[in-house]
Amino acid sequence: MEGYMGDYWNIANSAIDVRSFIPEGIMNPVANKKQPFFPMGTSTGIDGFCLR
C-alpha cells in the first residue's frame, strides 16, 4: 500500500519501536501512525512481527 513501510519481522537480536497497538483477539501488533511507540524485539517479549 502506498505510504506504508510494510511488515516488520524480528530476526535474531534486532529491536525496534513501532507506532502500533495490539487489537483484542489478535496476538500480533498492527502498525498505526496515530498510536504511541510500541517496543518490539527479542528483549521486549514481543518477538513476532508487526502487521501493516
Side-chain angles (χ1 to χ4, degrees):
M1 293 176 65
E2 186 174 339
Y4 288 83
M5 69 172 241
D7 296 342
Y8 167 77
W9 290 84
N10 183 55
I11 298 174
N13 294 328
S14 61
I16 190 171
D17 291 336
V18 179
R19 290 189 183 275
S20 62
F21 66 101
I22 300 180
E24 189 175 330
I26 296 177
M27 295 178 63
N28 296 305
V30 176
N32 184 317
K33 62 184 175 182
K34 296 179 181 178
Q35 298 294 319
F37 283 106
F38 186 79
M40 296 186 63
T42 306
S43 63
T44 67
I46 305 294
D47 60 355
F49 57 94
C50 183
L51 305 169
R52 61 178 169 83

